[in-house]
Amino acid sequence: MAQYIQNDVTNEDHVKSLIATIIKEFGQLDMAVNNAGISSEVVSIDASNSDNYSAMVNTNLVDLYYCMKHQIIQMLKQKQGAIVNVASVAGLNGIPWAATYASTKHGVVGLTKSAAILIMRSKVFVLTRQPLALSELILLTNNLMAMMKIIMKK
Protein backbone atom coordinates (compact mmCIF):
# COMPACT_ATOMS: atom_id res chain seq x y z
CA MET A 1 0.00 0.00 0.00
CA ALA A 2 1.30 3.45 -0.88
CA GLN A 3 0.28 6.74 0.65
CA TYR A 4 1.30 10.34 0.13
CA ILE A 5 2.39 12.14 3.30
CA GLN A 6 3.39 15.79 2.95
CA ASN A 7 6.62 16.70 4.70
CA ASP A 8 9.27 19.42 4.87
CA VAL A 9 12.49 17.65 3.85
CA THR A 10 14.50 20.82 4.49
CA ASN A 11 14.16 20.13 8.23
CA GLU A 12 15.90 17.02 9.56
CA ASP A 13 13.58 16.80 12.58
CA HIS A 14 10.58 16.76 10.22
CA VAL A 15 12.19 13.94 8.24
CA LYS A 16 12.70 11.91 11.46
CA SER A 17 9.07 12.58 12.36
CA LEU A 18 7.97 11.42 8.91
CA ILE A 19 9.78 8.11 9.33
CA ALA A 20 8.17 7.68 12.78
CA THR A 21 4.72 8.39 11.27
CA ILE A 22 5.31 5.79 8.54
CA ILE A 23 6.34 3.17 11.12
CA LYS A 24 3.33 3.97 13.30
CA GLU A 25 0.94 3.80 10.33
CA PHE A 26 2.40 0.85 8.38
CA GLY A 27 4.75 -0.98 10.76
CA GLN A 28 7.81 -0.65 8.52
CA LEU A 29 9.36 1.28 5.65
CA ASP A 30 9.83 -1.00 2.66
CA MET A 31 10.84 1.45 -0.04
CA ALA A 32 11.63 5.12 -0.52
CA VAL A 33 12.18 7.30 -3.57
CA ASN A 34 14.05 10.56 -2.98
CA ASN A 35 13.27 12.90 -5.86
CA ALA A 36 13.73 16.47 -4.67
CA GLY A 37 15.60 18.73 -7.03
CA ILE A 38 15.82 22.23 -8.44
CA SER A 39 17.85 23.96 -11.12
CA SER A 40 17.64 27.67 -10.50
CA GLU A 41 19.90 28.93 -13.27
CA VAL A 42 21.45 27.93 -16.56
CA VAL A 43 24.62 29.99 -16.84
CA SER A 44 28.37 29.46 -16.91
CA ILE A 45 29.98 29.09 -13.49
CA ASP A 46 31.57 32.56 -13.69
CA ALA A 47 28.11 34.10 -14.13
CA SER A 48 26.42 31.97 -11.48
CA ASN A 49 24.78 33.33 -8.35
CA SER A 50 26.10 32.02 -5.02
CA ASP A 51 22.68 32.18 -3.34
CA ASN A 52 21.13 30.15 -6.17
CA TYR A 53 23.93 27.61 -5.84
CA SER A 54 23.44 27.30 -2.07
CA ALA A 55 19.73 26.70 -2.62
CA MET A 56 20.48 23.98 -5.17
CA VAL A 57 23.01 22.27 -2.86
CA ASN A 58 20.53 22.35 0.02
CA THR A 59 17.59 21.03 -2.00
CA ASN A 60 19.36 18.59 -4.30
CA LEU A 61 21.89 17.16 -1.86
CA VAL A 62 21.47 18.11 1.82
CA ASP A 63 17.72 17.46 1.95
CA LEU A 64 18.19 14.14 0.14
CA TYR A 65 20.89 13.28 2.70
CA TYR A 66 18.45 13.88 5.58
CA CYS A 67 15.93 11.52 4.01
CA MET A 68 18.39 8.82 3.06
CA LYS A 69 20.12 8.88 6.46
CA HIS A 70 16.92 8.29 8.39
CA GLN A 71 15.54 5.82 5.86
CA ILE A 72 18.73 3.75 6.17
CA ILE A 73 18.60 3.86 9.98
CA GLN A 74 15.05 2.48 9.90
CA MET A 75 15.69 -0.08 7.18
CA LEU A 76 18.78 -1.44 8.95
CA LYS A 77 16.64 -1.91 12.09
CA GLN A 78 14.14 -3.85 9.94
CA LYS A 79 16.96 -5.71 8.18
CA GLN A 80 15.45 -4.90 4.77
CA GLY A 81 14.41 -2.11 2.44
CA ALA A 82 15.20 -0.28 -0.79
CA ILE A 83 15.99 3.35 -1.52
CA VAL A 84 16.11 4.99 -4.95
CA ASN A 85 17.72 8.42 -5.20
CA VAL A 86 16.90 10.31 -8.37
CA ALA A 87 19.94 12.13 -9.72
CA SER A 88 20.49 13.20 -13.33
CA VAL A 89 22.72 12.41 -16.27
CA ALA A 90 24.32 15.72 -15.32
CA GLY A 91 25.57 13.85 -12.25
CA LEU A 92 27.53 11.49 -14.48
CA ASN A 93 28.89 13.79 -17.16
CA GLY A 94 28.54 17.45 -16.23
CA ILE A 95 27.04 20.30 -18.21
CA PRO A 96 29.21 23.33 -19.06
CA TRP A 97 26.37 25.85 -18.77
CA ALA A 98 24.91 24.26 -15.63
CA ALA A 99 27.99 23.31 -13.61
CA THR A 100 26.31 24.30 -10.35
CA TYR A 101 23.37 21.97 -10.96
CA ALA A 102 25.62 19.19 -12.23
CA SER A 103 27.81 19.38 -9.13
CA THR A 104 24.81 18.78 -6.87
CA LYS A 105 23.79 15.74 -8.89
CA HIS A 106 27.37 14.41 -8.81
CA GLY A 107 26.99 14.68 -5.03
CA VAL A 108 23.80 12.60 -5.11
CA VAL A 109 25.56 9.89 -7.13
CA GLY A 110 28.57 9.88 -4.78
CA LEU A 111 26.46 9.85 -1.63
CA THR A 112 24.34 7.00 -2.98
CA LYS A 113 27.31 4.88 -4.09
CA SER A 114 29.08 5.41 -0.75
CA ALA A 115 26.00 4.42 1.24
CA ALA A 116 25.44 1.37 -0.97
CA ILE A 117 29.01 0.18 -0.38
CA LEU A 118 28.73 0.74 3.37
CA ILE A 119 25.57 -1.33 3.78
CA MET A 120 26.10 -3.85 0.97
CA ARG A 121 26.17 -6.83 3.35
CA SER A 122 22.69 -6.00 4.64
CA LYS A 123 19.38 -6.53 2.87
CA VAL A 124 19.00 -2.77 2.44
CA PHE A 125 19.62 -1.61 -1.10
CA VAL A 126 20.43 1.93 -2.19
CA LEU A 127 20.66 2.90 -5.83
CA THR A 128 20.42 5.92 -8.04
CA ARG A 129 18.70 6.63 -11.34
CA GLN A 130 19.90 9.28 -13.74
CA PRO A 131 17.00 10.31 -15.96
CA LEU A 132 17.58 12.44 -19.01
CA ALA A 133 14.90 15.10 -18.78
CA LEU A 134 13.72 17.22 -21.67
CA SER A 135 15.23 20.27 -20.00
CA GLU A 136 18.58 18.47 -19.88
CA LEU A 137 18.30 17.63 -23.57
CA ILE A 138 17.71 21.32 -24.22
CA LEU A 139 20.74 22.20 -22.08
CA LEU A 140 22.91 19.70 -23.94
CA THR A 141 21.68 20.97 -27.31
CA ASN A 142 22.38 24.58 -26.32
CA ASN A 143 25.83 23.61 -25.07
CA LEU A 144 26.64 21.83 -28.32
CA MET A 145 25.44 24.82 -30.34
CA ALA A 146 27.54 27.20 -28.21
CA MET A 147 30.61 25.00 -28.61
CA MET A 148 30.06 24.77 -32.38
CA LYS A 149 29.91 28.58 -32.60
CA ILE A 150 33.22 28.83 -30.76
CA ILE A 151 34.80 26.19 -32.98
CA MET A 152 33.47 27.84 -36.16
CA LYS A 153 35.05 31.18 -35.14
CA LYS A 154 38.53 29.59 -34.97
Side-chain angles (χ1 to χ4, degrees), residues 6-150:
Q6 186 168 337
N7 190 51
D8 178 5
V9 297
T10 66
N11 183 310
E12 187 172 7
D13 289 333
H14 290 196
V15 171
K16 288 197 295 195
S17 177
L18 172 67
I19 302 297
T21 299
I22 291 168
I23 301 313
K24 183 179 177 184
E25 183 79 20
F26 300 104
Q28 66 182 32
L29 175 62
D30 296 316
M31 181 183 172
V33 177
N34 298 314
N35 189 30
I38 60 170
S39 178
S40 50
E41 59 186 7
V42 180
V43 297
S44 61
I45 195 162
D46 56 305
S48 65
N49 177 287
S50 297
D51 290 335
N52 287 345
Y53 182 59
S54 291
M56 280 190 279
V57 169
N58 286 332
T59 300
N60 298 358
L61 187 56
V62 176
D63 299 346
L64 181 137
Y65 157 79
Y66 293 153
C67 293
M68 190 173 75
K69 173 185 173 181
H70 295 287
Q71 293 158 354
I72 288 173
I73 290 169
Q74 179 58 40
M75 289 176 180
L76 287 173
K77 285 180 193 175
Q78 301 169 179
K79 300 185 181 351
Q80 67 177 12
I83 300 169
V84 177
N85 292 326
V86 179
S88 163
V89 294
L92 300 176
N93 301 314
I95 300 176
W97 300 106
T100 53
Y101 171 76
S103 72
T104 68
K105 294 306 183 172
H106 274 271
V108 170
V109 172
L111 186 64
T112 303
K113 286 181 178 182
S114 297
I117 292 167
L118 178 69
I119 62 174
M120 70 183 180
R121 295 188 189 276
S122 72
K123 290 187 179 178
V124 177
F125 301 95
V126 183
L127 59 105
T128 183
R129 301 299 309 148
Q130 294 81 22
L132 181 61
L134 178 60
S135 60
E136 290 171 357
L137 282 172
I138 293 168
L139 280 174
L140 290 170
T141 302
N142 289 342
N143 288 338
L144 289 172
M145 290 172 57
M147 286 188 268
M148 289 303 294
K149 286 179 186 176
I150 291 169

